[in-house]
Amino acid sequence: MRRRSKRAPNLSESTGKIGQEIPANQPAPLVPSYLDQPPMTRQAPPPQENRRSSPDDRREGRSESRADSRNQEQRPSSASRAPRPQMPEYNPSTAAGKLELETQPEMPSVPPPDPQAQAPKGYVVLTIGLPGSGKTTWFRRRGVTPLSSDLLRNILFDDVEEQRYQGLVFSTLRSLLRARLIAKMPWNYVDATNLSAHERRQWIKMAKSFGYDVQAVFFDVPLEVCLERNRSRDRMVAEEVMRKMAEKLKPPVFEEGFSKITVVRVKSAG
């Protein structure tokens, strides 16, 4: 068999073995040593191969130990060190900007009371009920003269039973209430049926626009009792009209804007 010849060593620069040697006539580069650097920040020396220390290495080690001892002597002890300056306390008056302190309410689901809420200028009281439910009697017992649609019919048409100009009657009634609110009258009563929430909405809106609270007096009287009272009255409403009005009647609720609702009922036979 033919013997394989040995390859010559690869002496190209790509191996890093050629062109990197230090010439013999050039001294080795100086390696700086950071002796003044604190021990805690000094970087650990790279690991060296296990080899015997030369006399030069031993001399360098002794010089470094003496330098470290001199640094330890020059470094002041912890007892003689000056205390660290304390951080100044935060003073809102000297800080830039504005500091606001906010205290959360005990019950986050309930909004806190509005401190800017003002007391109402007065009250507007609306009566709600069928004819014959006792509205006129309720006012008479309290000595109150309300703004009444029947009173306006008598003033405008000389006939309390006139029903052809309902729009004119109630627009005049609202103008009268507006005049009382402008005059800042504390108590204002409106005597009308006010059967539905739609009919009551305009009164409530007007009162609140002037800063007045609105209260309701609901006459919860059965239809049969109203029909019986209606038959004994001089000015009687047709029974068919009474029944249609009863179908339209809706009790007041606080969601409409009432601050107080008074319910009036008839006494039982017992």
Side-chain angles (χ1 to χ4, degrees):
M1 298 179 62
R2 186 177 179 180
R3 180 179 295 179
R4 297 176 59 183
S5 60
K6 295 183 179 180
R7 293 184 178 180
N10 188 359
L11 301 179
S12 63
E13 292 184 0
S14 61
T15 60
K17 298 179 180 180
I18 301 300
Q20 306 296 329
E21 298 89 355
I22 300 175
N25 58 352
Q26 181 177 347
L30 297 177
V31 179
S33 61
Y34 303 95
L35 300 179
D36 296 336
Q37 186 177 1
M40 63 181 65
T41 59
R42 183 184 302 174
Q43 297 181 355
Q48 298 181 359
E49 297 180 356
N50 296 329
R51 58 183 179 86
R52 295 182 178 179
S53 60
S54 61
D56 296 335
D57 295 337
R58 289 193 293 270
R59 284 195 297 270
E60 290 180 0
R62 286 195 296 270
S63 63
E64 288 183 3
S65 61
R66 286 194 295 269
D68 292 342
S69 61
R70 286 195 299 270
N71 293 337
Q72 292 291 339
E73 293 175 358
Q74 295 176 1
R75 188 180 298 113
S77 61
S78 59
S80 61
R81 290 180 186 174
R84 292 184 178 180
Q86 297 182 357
M87 294 296 292
E89 297 183 358
Y90 179 70
N91 188 359
S93 60
T94 60
K98 181 180 180 181
L99 177 66
E100 293 183 359
L101 300 179
E102 179 179 348
T103 303
Q104 295 186 358
E106 296 179 359
M107 299 180 63
S109 59
V110 180
D114 187 5
Q116 299 180 354
Q118 299 180 356
K121 297 180 180 179
Y123 303 90
V124 174
V125 182
L126 303 181
T127 57
I128 303 169
L130 296 172
S133 58
K135 298 188 296 297
T136 305
T137 305
W138 187 85
F139 283 117
R140 187 184 302 117
R141 289 177 178 175
R142 285 158 178 77
V144 176
T145 302
L147 299 176
S148 172
S149 56
D150 291 343
L151 178 62
L152 282 181
R153 291 188 185 96
N154 194 19
I155 294 174
L156 297 175
F157 314 116
D158 297 329
D159 186 1
V160 72
E161 297 181 1
E162 179 61 60
Q163 300 291 329
R164 293 179 298 175
Y165 306 101
Q166 291 290 90
L168 179 59
V169 170
F170 283 94
S171 63
T172 306
L173 194 62
R174 286 191 292 270
S175 298
L176 290 176
L177 177 61
R178 181 184 297 274
R180 289 183 60 88
L181 299 181
I182 293 175
K184 299 181 181 180
M185 302 303 293
W187 287 93
N188 306 272
Y189 298 87
V190 179
D191 181 11
T193 55
N194 295 317
L195 300 177
S196 64
H198 177 73
E199 297 177 2
R200 303 188 285 258
R201 187 179 305 150
Q202 295 182 353
W203 302 108
I204 298 173
K205 184 177 180 181
M206 180 190 301
K208 288 187 174 296
S209 65
F210 281 89
Y212 280 69
D213 271 2
V214 188
Q215 301 180 4
V217 181
F218 175 51
F219 293 83
D220 187 15
V221 181
L223 174 60
E224 299 302 327
V225 176
C226 295
L227 289 174
E228 183 179 354
R229 292 177 179 176
N230 182 58
R231 297 187 190 100
S232 60
R233 297 172 65 180
D234 297 335
R235 182 175 55 87
M236 186 176 62
V237 181
E239 183 174 341
E240 182 180 357
V241 176
M242 290 278 293
R243 294 189 180 276
K244 289 182 179 180
M245 295 176 69
E247 295 176 359
K248 189 179 178 181
L249 176 62
K250 300 296 181 183
V253 292
F254 289 105
E255 287 74 11
E256 297 181 48
F258 294 110
S259 61
K260 179 181 178 181
I261 297 176
T262 303
V263 181
V264 179
R265 295 189 176 95
V266 294
K267 293 182 180 180
S268 60

mmCIF file with all atom_site columns, all heavy atoms in Angstrom, residues 86-91 94:
data_model
loop_
_atom_site.group_PDB
_atom_site.id
_atom_site.type_symbol
_atom_site.label_atom_id
_atom_site.label_alt_id
_atom_site.label_comp_id
_atom_site.label_asym_id
_atom_site.label_entity_id
_atom_site.label_seq_id
_atom_site.pdbx_PDB_ins_code
_atom_site.Cartn_x
_atom_site.Cartn_y
_atom_site.Cartn_z
_atom_site.occupancy
_atom_site.B_iso_or_equiv
_atom_site.pdbx_formal_charge
_atom_site.auth_seq_id
_atom_site.auth_comp_id
_atom_site.auth_asym_id
_atom_site.auth_atom_id
_atom_site.pdbx_PDB_model_num
ATOM 1  N N   . GLN A 1 86 ? -29.480 63.330 55.435 1.00 0.00 ? 86 GLN A N   1
ATOM 2  C CA  . GLN A 1 86 ? -30.838 62.829 55.356 1.00 0.00 ? 86 GLN A CA  1
ATOM 3  C C   . GLN A 1 86 ? -31.597 63.524 54.219 1.00 0.00 ? 86 GLN A C   1
ATOM 4  O O   . GLN A 1 86 ? -31.366 64.689 53.910 1.00 0.00 ? 86 GLN A O   1
ATOM 5  C CB  . GLN A 1 86 ? -31.584 63.061 56.670 1.00 0.00 ? 86 GLN A CB  1
ATOM 6  C CG  . GLN A 1 86 ? -30.973 62.302 57.839 1.00 0.00 ? 86 GLN A CG  1
ATOM 7  C CD  . GLN A 1 86 ? -31.762 62.505 59.101 1.00 0.00 ? 86 GLN A CD  1
ATOM 8  O OE1 . GLN A 1 86 ? -32.742 63.260 59.090 1.00 0.00 ? 86 GLN A OE1 1
ATOM 9  N NE2 . GLN A 1 86 ? -31.373 61.846 60.165 1.00 0.00 ? 86 GLN A NE2 1
ATOM 10 N N   . MET A 1 87 ? -32.505 62.737 53.595 1.00 0.00 ? 87 MET A N   1
ATOM 11 C CA  . MET A 1 87 ? -33.327 63.287 52.528 1.00 0.00 ? 87 MET A CA  1
ATOM 12 C C   . MET A 1 87 ? -34.321 64.278 53.111 1.00 0.00 ? 87 MET A C   1
ATOM 13 O O   . MET A 1 87 ? -34.970 63.994 54.129 1.00 0.00 ? 87 MET A O   1
ATOM 14 C CB  . MET A 1 87 ? -34.083 62.165 51.815 1.00 0.00 ? 87 MET A CB  1
ATOM 15 C CG  . MET A 1 87 ? -33.179 61.195 51.056 1.00 0.00 ? 87 MET A CG  1
ATOM 16 S SD  . MET A 1 87 ? -32.326 62.020 49.707 1.00 0.00 ? 87 MET A SD  1
ATOM 17 C CE  . MET A 1 87 ? -33.703 62.359 48.643 1.00 0.00 ? 87 MET A CE  1
ATOM 18 N N   . PRO A 1 88 ? -34.454 65.448 52.528 1.00 0.00 ? 88 PRO A N   1
ATOM 19 C CA  . PRO A 1 88 ? -35.431 66.421 53.058 1.00 0.00 ? 88 PRO A CA  1
ATOM 20 C C   . PRO A 1 88 ? -36.852 65.906 52.896 1.00 0.00 ? 88 PRO A C   1
ATOM 21 O O   . PRO A 1 88 ? -37.183 65.249 51.919 1.00 0.00 ? 88 PRO A O   1
ATOM 22 C CB  . PRO A 1 88 ? -35.177 67.671 52.194 1.00 0.00 ? 88 PRO A CB  1
ATOM 23 C CG  . PRO A 1 88 ? -34.579 67.139 50.927 1.00 0.00 ? 88 PRO A CG  1
ATOM 24 C CD  . PRO A 1 88 ? -33.779 65.933 51.331 1.00 0.00 ? 88 PRO A CD  1
ATOM 25 N N   . GLU A 1 89 ? -37.665 66.162 53.902 1.00 0.00 ? 89 GLU A N   1
ATOM 26 C CA  . GLU A 1 89 ? -39.063 65.756 53.842 1.00 0.00 ? 89 GLU A CA  1
ATOM 27 C C   . GLU A 1 89 ? -39.801 66.522 52.746 1.00 0.00 ? 89 GLU A C   1
ATOM 28 O O   . GLU A 1 89 ? -39.500 67.682 52.459 1.00 0.00 ? 89 GLU A O   1
ATOM 29 C CB  . GLU A 1 89 ? -39.755 65.989 55.190 1.00 0.00 ? 89 GLU A CB  1
ATOM 30 C CG  . GLU A 1 89 ? -39.162 65.141 56.314 1.00 0.00 ? 89 GLU A CG  1
ATOM 31 C CD  . GLU A 1 89 ? -39.927 65.355 57.591 1.00 0.00 ? 89 GLU A CD  1
ATOM 32 O OE1 . GLU A 1 89 ? -40.867 66.173 57.582 1.00 0.00 ? 89 GLU A OE1 1
ATOM 33 O OE2 . GLU A 1 89 ? -39.591 64.698 58.589 1.00 0.00 ? 89 GLU A OE2 1
ATOM 34 N N   . TYR A 1 90 ? -40.792 65.824 52.171 1.00 0.00 ? 90 TYR A N   1
ATOM 35 C CA  . TYR A 1 90 ? -41.564 66.428 51.076 1.00 0.00 ? 90 TYR A CA  1
ATOM 36 C C   . TYR A 1 90 ? -42.504 67.489 51.633 1.00 0.00 ? 90 TYR A C   1
ATOM 37 O O   . TYR A 1 90 ? -43.307 67.222 52.535 1.00 0.00 ? 90 TYR A O   1
ATOM 38 C CB  . TYR A 1 90 ? -42.374 65.362 50.343 1.00 0.00 ? 90 TYR A CB  1
ATOM 39 C CG  . TYR A 1 90 ? -43.213 65.922 49.219 1.00 0.00 ? 90 TYR A CG  1
ATOM 40 C CD1 . TYR A 1 90 ? -42.630 66.411 48.057 1.00 0.00 ? 90 TYR A CD1 1
ATOM 41 C CD2 . TYR A 1 90 ? -44.597 65.963 49.341 1.00 0.00 ? 90 TYR A CD2 1
ATOM 42 C CE1 . TYR A 1 90 ? -43.395 66.914 47.037 1.00 0.00 ? 90 TYR A CE1 1
ATOM 43 C CE2 . TYR A 1 90 ? -45.368 66.468 48.322 1.00 0.00 ? 90 TYR A CE2 1
ATOM 44 C CZ  . TYR A 1 90 ? -44.766 66.941 47.167 1.00 0.00 ? 90 TYR A CZ  1
ATOM 45 O OH  . TYR A 1 90 ? -45.536 67.438 46.158 1.00 0.00 ? 90 TYR A OH  1
ATOM 46 N N   . ASN A 1 91 ? -42.358 68.680 51.120 1.00 0.00 ? 91 ASN A N   1
ATOM 47 C CA  . ASN A 1 91 ? -43.198 69.802 51.550 1.00 0.00 ? 91 ASN A CA  1
ATOM 48 C C   . ASN A 1 91 ? -44.060 70.225 50.369 1.00 0.00 ? 91 ASN A C   1
ATOM 49 O O   . ASN A 1 91 ? -43.542 70.683 49.350 1.00 0.00 ? 91 ASN A O   1
ATOM 50 C CB  . ASN A 1 91 ? -42.326 70.968 52.019 1.00 0.00 ? 91 ASN A CB  1
ATOM 51 C CG  . ASN A 1 91 ? -43.152 72.068 52.655 1.00 0.00 ? 91 ASN A CG  1
ATOM 52 O OD1 . ASN A 1 91 ? -44.376 71.967 52.728 1.00 0.00 ? 91 ASN A OD1 1
ATOM 53 N ND2 . ASN A 1 91 ? -42.499 73.111 53.118 1.00 0.00 ? 91 ASN A ND2 1
ATOM 54 N N   . THR A 1 94 ? -43.509 73.753 48.810 1.00 0.00 ? 94 THR A N   1
ATOM 55 C CA  . THR A 1 94 ? -42.336 74.044 48.002 1.00 0.00 ? 94 THR A CA  1
ATOM 56 C C   . THR A 1 94 ? -42.298 73.233 46.734 1.00 0.00 ? 94 THR A C   1
ATOM 57 O O   . THR A 1 94 ? -41.466 73.493 45.874 1.00 0.00 ? 94 THR A O   1
ATOM 58 C CB  . THR A 1 94 ? -41.071 73.759 48.826 1.00 0.00 ? 94 THR A CB  1
ATOM 59 O OG1 . THR A 1 94 ? -41.074 72.371 49.216 1.00 0.00 ? 94 THR A OG1 1
ATOM 60 C CG2 . THR A 1 94 ? -41.011 74.635 50.062 1.00 0.00 ? 94 THR A CG2 1
#
